[in-house]
């Protein structure tokens, strides 16, 4: 074999590693989930009961699935106006200015703060504030978690959409201005439509982030495996139930947690894939 | 007709207000960390291991600073991040080069998608994988190695994609110039591609490092934590975020939470800023 | 008034001492004074970077989009200072066509033509809208080519068709003046000659100011020509006179291809 081929083979073989890792991940998660599905079948997914007491063990994932979706949706909704405004601020209104650079840097810094620090901040700063507002007695729950999640995903929702908005060519906007449109009209009739897929994709990806976020939510959501009655109620998410209970779990309970991990993996994979599809449509 | 300019101004005002709201949390978080954390940062904070609950309680009762520091966390983080880098950097770089060289081919697209999915999968799920692959079958117990593997799996996709993106920025002509001179393939990689894109590659690696240094959830179920400095890969190890989690769960340690978080955040943000500084400018 | 500048009676546009700078202390357009004749075609010529686009874009206050650009001097439109007009009114009266065809990619052909009304929130009956679209597309000789695909996006059109669509978009608003910045430089000769024909036809109803790099084009269709060099207006006169008997040496050199 000549050196050319050796190099090519090394590259190829190394690229197999990530393939093997992901196949291995799926195998591990699936085989770990088999016991729980054998025991409860698909009832595991729609049952609302979570009872580890020996003898009447029952594990239902619906409360944590619902909890995950509600917190993440709420987070996205809170995040949207903030992220959208920030993108417009940086890529449209004050494009290229120093103030935009500062704001962009500060938003990027948000992505660097570890989840656990968000959790602490939520616990010690936000939670008392929520109690003061009288929104909930203890300050824990869906709403508090969503608020912190919303902050955590701002950089993900902002960075891609900012980039795409700033790529909208000037000549398109100028065509609209030359017809007498105001800036607002140009934004909504030209800029946003042209950048649409990129903007949507960045919100989808941010949503995926929110779904998998663990520590901060674990510290704030209240960790009760029941379907929440309102957004100020406490609840649990898929990621936090794993983080909380994995350590001492065995048998069926362990299998239930792994199955939740598998579901979480699949949901985020689908969401990310969707996001990528939307971006592709753009380019 | 005058409604249009008014709407235009109102919208601009809203954009500015929302953007300012979006950057408030990072300022509040940093303010809180500095305000509550700076007191505990002294020499022993870096040279001593975490105190026992008892010592912390005594200090609190006497109104003194809590003795001890986070040495076990710092060494554990360094150890696990180091081992994770040894695993992830070569594989990530080579796979990234493979994707760049084979862009557009079907298999490469599969690898790229897998890498994206892995990048989006929740860290807690990767923790589960680290648990099953290493804790259960290799080290027969929680271990620094398991933590390292989990962190490595998280770093891999980040490095792969940043490598590919960085290489794509190299003008095709530079590569062709090398090929035209009859330079062998591996030499083009080592002497042309890597040096030309060096700063970009380093940026990608630094960002991947800063992303995993703050991870708590996966370490919680792999490395577990340890009260001692430990460089033994098959024994449990601590990490700064794990210590924060322990301090958070121990009412006597509250004061240490903030200083450890301050340290962690400053460390990560500094890495982020450095990587931004050396990043090649897009144009 | 400078001898190399013709006098226009009752000009529709009057540019007075206009200077525009992108960077402090460097005028891209330097104290330009010129009157534009109604219902005629005025060509702006000159070597690359001499300030043609900059001058043209000042007429509909396009520079105000970019805060670092400074404009001095005055431009009158029908004896009114354009800086006193609202941007909305000004741009209704002064339409613009750009160098590269830029139909809105998110809109259908129909919506592109009517986009001036849409963007300005002007509501109209469907029948009125249909009329405007048809007439504008007729005016640019595009109607027969696209009447069956009005509600498709315009990206399947050729470059020349797209540019005619952009002209239709400007015409739909019935402006007084149309500004065109090298409208044919991205087009092939056949598409170019179609647009030239069109412009000659349009001057009956509109006043046309056009930047062009193509001297033959200026000679073929313009009535007056402005020659600029390094931001200065060097010569302004009837096209026929200027091309046969330029009064400035730099104009002559440019027209004979010595530079440019
Ligand atoms: N956005 C800008 N920022 C800074 N300088 C600019 C900008 N646009 C144009 N200039 C400068 O202003 C001068 C005039 O530019 P302008 O575009 O008006 O020239 P032009 O005559 O239209 O050239 P061309 O024939 O190449 O289109 C040039 O020196 C140019 O470099
Ligand atoms: Mg120009």
């Amino acid at each position: 074999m000549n050196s050319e081929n050796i190099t090519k083979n090394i590259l190829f073989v190394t690229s197999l590693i990530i393939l093997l890792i992901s196949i291995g991940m799926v195998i591990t998660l699936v085989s770990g989930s088999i016991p729980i599905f054998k025991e409860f079948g698909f009832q595991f997914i729609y049952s609302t009961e979570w009872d580890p007491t020996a003898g009447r063990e029952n594990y239902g994932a619906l409360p944590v699935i619902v909890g995950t979706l509600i917190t993440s949706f709420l987070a996205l909704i809170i995040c949207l106006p903030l992220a959208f405004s920030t993108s417009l601020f940086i890529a449209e209104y004050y494009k290229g200015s120093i103030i935009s650079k500062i704001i962009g840097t500060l938003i990027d810094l948000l992505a660097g703060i570890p989840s656990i620090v968000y959790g602490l901040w939520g616990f010690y700063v936000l939670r008392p504030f929520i109690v003061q507002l009288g929104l909930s007695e203890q300050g824990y729950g869906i709403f508090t978690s969503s608020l912190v999640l919303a902050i955590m995903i701002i950089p993900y929702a902002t960075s891609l959409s900012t980039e795409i908005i700033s790529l909208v060519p000037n000549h398109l906007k100028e065509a609209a201005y030359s017809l007498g449109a105001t800036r607002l009209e140009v934004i909504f009739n030209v800029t946003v439509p042209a950048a649409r897929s990129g903007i949507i994709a960045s919100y989808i990806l941010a949503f995926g982030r929110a779904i998998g976020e663990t520590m901060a939510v674990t510290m704030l959501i209240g960790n009760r495996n029941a379907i929440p009655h309102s957004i100020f109620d406490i609840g649990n998410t898929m990621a936090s139930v794993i983080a909380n209970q994995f350590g001492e779990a065995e048998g069926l309970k362990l299998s239930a947690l792994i199955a939740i991990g598998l579901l979480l993996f699949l949901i985020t994979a689908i969401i990310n894939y969707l996001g990528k599809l939307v971006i592709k449509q753009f380019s | 007709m005058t409604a249009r300019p008014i709407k235009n101004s109102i919208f601009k005002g809203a954009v500015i207000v929302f953007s300012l709201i979006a950057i408030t949390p990072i300022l509040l978080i940093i303010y809180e960390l500095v305000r509550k954390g700076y007191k505990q940062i002294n020499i022993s904070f870096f040279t001593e291991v975490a105190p026992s609950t008892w010592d912390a309680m005594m200090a609190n009762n006497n109104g003194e600073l809590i003795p001890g520091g986070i040495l076990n966390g710092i060494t554990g983080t360094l150890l696990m991040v180091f081992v994770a880098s040894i695993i992830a950097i070569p594989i990530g770089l080579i796979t990234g080069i493979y994707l760049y060289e084979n862009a557009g081919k079907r298999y490469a697209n599969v690898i790229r998608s897998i890498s994206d999915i892995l990048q989006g999968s929740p860290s807690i799920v990767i923790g589960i994988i680290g648990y099953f692959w290493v804790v259960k079958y290799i080290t027969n117990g929680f271990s620094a190695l398991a933590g390292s593997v989990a962190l490595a799996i998280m770093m891999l996709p980040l490095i792969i994609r940043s490598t590919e993106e960085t290489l794509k920025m190299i003008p095709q002509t530079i590569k062709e110039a090398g090929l035209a001179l009859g330079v062998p393939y591996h030499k083009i990689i080592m002497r042309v591609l890597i040096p030309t894109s060096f700063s970009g590659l380093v940026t990608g690696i630094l960002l991947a490092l800063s992303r995993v240094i703050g991870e708590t959830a996966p370490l919680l179920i792999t490395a577990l934590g340890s009260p001692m400095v430990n460089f033994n890969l098959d024994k449990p190890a601590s990490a700064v975020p794990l210590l924060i989690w322990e301090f958070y769960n121990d009412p006597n340690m509250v004061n240490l939470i903030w200083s450890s978080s301050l340290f962690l955040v400053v460390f990560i943000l500094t890495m982020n800023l450095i990587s931004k500084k050396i990043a090649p400018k897009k144009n | 008034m400078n001898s190399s500048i013709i006098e226009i009676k009752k000009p529709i546009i009057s540019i007075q001492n206009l200077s525009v700078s992108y960077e402090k202390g460097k005028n891209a357009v330097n104290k330009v004074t010129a009157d534009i004749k109604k219902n005629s075609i005025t060509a702006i010529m000159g070597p690359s970077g001499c300030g043609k686009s900059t001058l043209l874009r000042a007429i509909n206050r396009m520079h105000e989009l970019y805060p670092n650009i400074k404009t001095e001097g005055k431009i009158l439109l029908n004896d009114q200072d354009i800086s006193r007009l609202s941007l909305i009114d000004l741009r209704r009266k002064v339409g613009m066509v750009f160098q590269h065809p830029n139909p809105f990619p998110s809109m259908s052909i129909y919506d592109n033509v009517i986009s001036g009304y849409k963007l300005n929130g002007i509501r109209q009956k469907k029948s009125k809208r249909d009329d405007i679209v048809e007439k504008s597309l007729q005016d640019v000789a595009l109607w027969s080519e696209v009447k069956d695909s009005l509600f498709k996006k315009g990206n399947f059109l050729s470059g020349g068709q797209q540019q005619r669509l952009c002209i239709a978009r400007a015409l739909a608003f019935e402006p007084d003046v149309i500004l065109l910045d090298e409208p044919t430089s991205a087009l092939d000769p056949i598409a170019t000659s179609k647009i030239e024909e069109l412009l000659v036809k349009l001057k009956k109803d509109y006043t046309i100011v056009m930047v062009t790099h193509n001297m033959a084009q200026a000679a073929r269709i313009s009535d007056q020509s402005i020659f600029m060099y390094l931001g200065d207006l060097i010569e302004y006169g009837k096209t026929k006179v200027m091309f046969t008997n330029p009064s400035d040496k730099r104009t002559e050199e440019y027209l004979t291809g010595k530079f440019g």
Side-chain angles (χ1 to χ4, degrees):
Chain A
M1 230 188 327
N2 58 17
S3 77
E4 201 84 334
N5 281 333
I6 296 176
T7 315
K8 287 207 162 136
N9 284 330
I10 291 178
L11 292 185
F12 174 71
V13 169
T14 309
S15 78
L16 283 172
I17 294 177
I18 189 156
L19 183 67
L20 294 179
I21 288 178
S22 41
I23 293 174
M25 271 178 75
V26 174
I27 292 176
T28 302
L29 292 172
V30 168
S31 66
S33 321
I34 288 176
I36 195 79
F37 280 107
K38 263 204 178 133
E39 184 76 21
F40 297 110
F42 279 95
Q43 206 190 327
F44 167 69
I45 292 177
Y46 57 80
S47 163
T48 58
E49 201 69 28
W50 184 277
D51 187 354
T53 322
R56 45 170 189 168
E57 261 184 314
N58 188 26
Y59 299 103
L62 193 62
V64 291
I65 296 176
V66 171
T68 304
L69 293 179
I70 295 183
T71 41
S72 309
F73 259 119
L74 196 55
L76 185 64
I77 289 170
I78 299 170
C79 167
L80 276 184
L82 302 177
F84 184 61
S85 300
T86 310
S87 300
L88 287 180
F89 191 103
I90 298 174
E92 171 66 39
Y93 282 100
Y94 298 94
K95 192 172 180 178
S97 70
I98 293 177
I99 176 86
S100 278
K101 288 217 177 75
I102 294 174
I103 289 198
T105 308
L106 287 175
I107 294 287
D108 283 347
L109 290 186
L110 277 176
I113 305 283
S115 182
I116 190 160
V117 175
Y118 278 108
L120 289 176
W121 185 76
F123 185 86
Y124 283 103
V125 179
L126 206 55
R127 199 179 52 92
F129 186 63
I130 298 229
V131 172
Q132 251 179 23
L133 290 179
L135 293 176
S136 92
E137 223 157 87
Q138 294 288 316
Y140 293 105
I142 303 279
F143 182 72
T144 315
S145 309
S146 300
L147 214 51
V148 171
L149 274 180
I151 298 170
M152 295 177 77
I153 61 175
I154 287 176
Y156 300 98
T158 308
S159 68
L160 177 64
S161 45
T162 303
E163 204 175 319
I164 306 266
I165 288 177
S166 71
L167 287 180
V168 174
N170 266 340
H171 68 85
L172 271 189
K173 297 188 230 165
E174 286 178 358
Y177 283 119
S178 78
L179 293 167
T182 62
R183 191 157 208 165
L184 172 64
E185 289 153 354
V186 172
I187 288 173
F188 281 101
N189 290 290
V190 178
T191 312
V192 169
R196 192 184 49 208
S197 359
I199 296 176
I200 294 174
S202 65
Y203 298 156
I204 294 178
L205 296 177
F207 181 67
R209 279 271 149 196
I211 283 190
E213 207 40 74
T214 315
M215 288 323 282
V217 180
T218 304
M219 293 158 83
L220 296 171
I221 195 153
N223 298 305
R224 187 188 62 184
N225 281 20
I227 294 196
H229 298 293
S230 81
I231 58 166
F232 297 108
D233 204 359
I234 57 174
N236 215 346
T237 66
M238 303 167 81
S240 10
V241 77
I242 302 174
N244 260 316
Q245 309 200 359
F246 195 86
E248 72 262 20
E250 44 193 317
L252 265 188
K253 186 173 174 185
L254 183 61
S255 178
L257 293 177
I258 297 168
I260 291 175
L262 176 65
L263 289 177
L264 191 55
F265 176 74
L266 293 178
I267 295 176
T268 47
I270 291 171
I271 291 175
N272 282 313
Y273 187 70
L274 270 181
K276 294 274 138 79
L277 271 190
V278 175
I279 297 181
K280 271 227 188 82
Q281 199 199 334
F282 174 79
S283 54
Chain B
M1 276 315 238
T2 51
R4 294 173 57 213
I6 293 175
K7 268 193 211 159
N8 189 39
S9 315
I10 291 178
F11 185 76
K12 181 174 180 183
V15 163
I16 294 174
V17 169
F18 278 122
S19 303
L20 293 180
I21 295 177
I23 57 162
T24 315
I26 184 72
L27 300 176
L28 289 179
I29 290 172
I30 291 177
Y31 167 75
E32 196 74 9
L33 292 181
V34 172
R35 186 171 70 100
K36 292 189 176 161
Y38 81 95
K39 283 188 233 111
Q40 284 280 344
I41 294 192
N42 45 34
I43 300 283
S44 62
F45 183 75
F46 299 101
T47 56
E48 290 174 29
V49 297
S52 68
T53 306
W54 177 254
D55 291 343
M57 192 172 79
M58 293 307 287
N60 283 337
N61 286 346
N62 298 334
E64 297 162 1
L65 287 182
I66 300 178
I70 57 168
L71 182 66
N72 51 333
I74 295 177
T75 53
T77 291
L78 290 180
L79 172 71
M80 286 190 279
V81 166
F82 178 71
V83 175
S85 305
I86 289 181
I87 303 171
I89 292 175
I91 302 177
L93 287 179
I94 297 177
T95 310
I97 295 173
Y98 178 84
L99 291 184
Y100 164 74
E101 289 294 335
N102 295 281
K105 288 204 190 130
R106 200 171 169 159
Y107 169 75
N109 288 339
V110 170
I111 296 290
R112 193 176 297 111
S113 302
I114 284 179
S115 169
D116 285 346
I117 286 174
L118 208 56
Q119 185 182 334
S121 55
S123 57
I124 186 79
V125 174
I126 293 175
I128 295 182
I129 299 303
Y131 177 83
F132 278 102
W133 291 0
V134 185
V135 174
K136 271 191 91 169
Y137 295 111
I138 299 183
T139 53
N140 292 316
F142 295 105
S143 64
L145 183 65
S148 308
V149 168
L151 297 186
I153 296 179
M154 298 185 64
M155 286 174 71
L156 248 185
L158 295 166
I159 298 179
I160 292 176
R161 290 314 302 277
S162 72
T163 302
E164 190 192 3
E165 294 304 318
T166 309
L167 292 177
K168 275 203 225 153
M169 282 161 55
I170 302 178
Q172 195 66 21
T173 48
I174 292 187
K175 206 177 109 191
E176 281 167 1
L179 286 169
L181 292 170
V183 182
Y185 196 42
H186 68 275
K187 281 212 176 130
I188 294 194
I189 294 174
M190 301 303 287
R191 299 272 172 79
V192 180
L193 295 186
I194 293 183
T196 314
S197 55
F198 190 73
S199 64
L201 299 179
V202 174
T203 302
I205 292 170
L206 282 181
L207 281 178
L209 284 174
S210 74
R211 192 64 67 73
V212 299
I213 281 179
E215 277 298 338
T216 317
L219 295 184
L220 212 52
I221 59 178
T222 51
L224 189 68
S226 157
M228 296 166 299
V229 172
N230 166 38
F231 289 111
N232 196 337
L233 276 181
D234 46 282
K235 290 280 166 339
S238 190
V240 178
L242 281 179
L243 274 184
I244 297 176
W245 176 244
E246 281 162 25
F247 296 156
Y248 165 78
N249 284 307
D250 184 340
N252 293 319
M253 304 278 205
V254 172
N255 288 333
L256 272 179
I257 297 179
W258 297 105
S259 40
S260 330
S261 300
L262 176 61
F263 168 73
L264 186 61
V265 165
V266 167
F267 194 78
I268 292 173
L269 295 189
T270 312
M271 270 175 89
N272 273 338
L273 290 181
I274 293 175
S275 66
K276 290 257 159 59
K277 265 268 138 54
I278 61 173
K281 299 278 172 289
K282 276 192 237 173
N283 38 359
Chain C
M1 231 175 218
N2 192 314
S3 67
S4 59
I5 291 182
I6 52 166
E7 257 180 81
I8 307 275
K9 296 219 173 64
K10 289 212 171 181
I12 182 163
I13 293 174
S14 175
I15 302 167
Q16 303 178 355
N17 250 326
L18 182 81
S19 297
V20 183
S21 63
Y22 295 95
E23 291 153 48
K24 253 211 181 105
K26 230 184 104 196
N27 282 351
V29 163
N30 193 26
K31 300 211 173 101
V32 165
T33 297
D35 290 345
I36 305 291
K37 192 173 169 199
K38 208 173 162 173
N39 289 56
S40 72
I41 299 181
T42 305
I44 306 176
M45 293 183 298
S48 189
C50 68
K52 305 181 293 289
S53 301
T54 308
L55 173 61
L56 192 77
R57 291 160 64 89
I59 301 177
N60 69 347
R61 288 167 60 190
M62 220 45 166
H63 295 311
E64 288 177 20
L65 293 176
Y66 308 96
N68 51 331
I69 304 179
K70 300 273 173 297
T71 306
E72 278 170 50
K74 225 173 20 179
I75 299 180
L76 307 182
L77 173 69
N78 291 324
D79 295 327
Q80 268 182 308
D81 188 340
I82 61 165
S83 64
R84 298 256 168 77
L85 288 172
S86 82
L87 275 177
I88 296 169
D89 291 342
L90 171 65
R91 289 175 183 164
R92 276 206 76 157
K93 287 182 187 145
V94 182
M96 185 160 199
V97 176
F98 299 78
Q99 177 170 2
H100 292 277
N102 55 357
F104 298 121
S106 57
M107 298 182 193
S108 66
I109 292 176
Y110 185 99
D111 284 344
N112 256 296
V113 178
I114 206 81
S115 59
Y117 293 89
K118 273 201 140 166
L119 287 169
N120 284 288
I122 301 168
R123 300 228 171 115
Q124 263 151 343
K125 286 213 193 81
K126 171 107 180 32
S127 57
K128 179 85 195 295
R129 265 185 321 207
D130 290 347
D131 289 347
I132 294 172
V133 170
E134 179 169 350
K135 180 170 181 304
S136 310
L137 288 172
Q138 294 274 21
D139 282 349
V140 298
L142 198 58
W143 176 250
S144 60
E145 290 157 62
V146 302
K147 66 172 186 293
D148 297 321
S149 35
L150 283 178
F151 297 98
K152 282 196 204 145
K153 300 215 165 127
N155 41 16
F156 70 92
L157 298 173
S158 72
Q161 288 173 319
Q162 288 191 17
Q163 192 62 303
R164 277 183 280 153
L165 176 59
C166 292
I167 297 176
R169 178 174 69 190
L171 293 183
F173 236 5
E174 301 186 325
D176 300 334
V177 179
I178 306 174
L179 310 173
L180 302 101
D181 192 350
E182 303 189 38
T184 61
S185 65
L187 306 179
D188 61 71
I190 296 174
T192 298
S193 72
K194 275 202 167 159
I195 300 229
E196 286 181 4
E197 257 171 55
L198 169 66
L199 293 176
V200 172
K201 207 176 75 188
L202 287 176
K203 76 177 179 189
K204 174 163 64 68
D205 300 314
Y206 303 93
T207 304
I208 293 171
V209 184
M210 177 175 75
V211 169
T212 179
H213 247 129
N214 180 336
M215 281 174 273
Q217 179 171 66
R220 277 196 297 272
I221 64 172
S222 73
D223 303 294
Q224 292 79 237
S225 292
I226 291 174
F227 175 68
M228 291 181 71
Y229 185 63
L230 296 178
D232 293 324
L233 187 153
I234 303 295
E235 187 165 349
Y236 179 20
K238 284 206 183 320
T239 301
K240 277 200 196 101
V241 177
M242 197 156 126
F243 272 72
T244 48
N245 187 16
S247 59
D248 192 284
K249 200 151 175 346
R250 286 164 292 185
T251 317
E252 185 180 339
E253 282 175 357
Y254 179 72
L255 291 175
T256 52
K258 295 243 169 61
F259 61 75

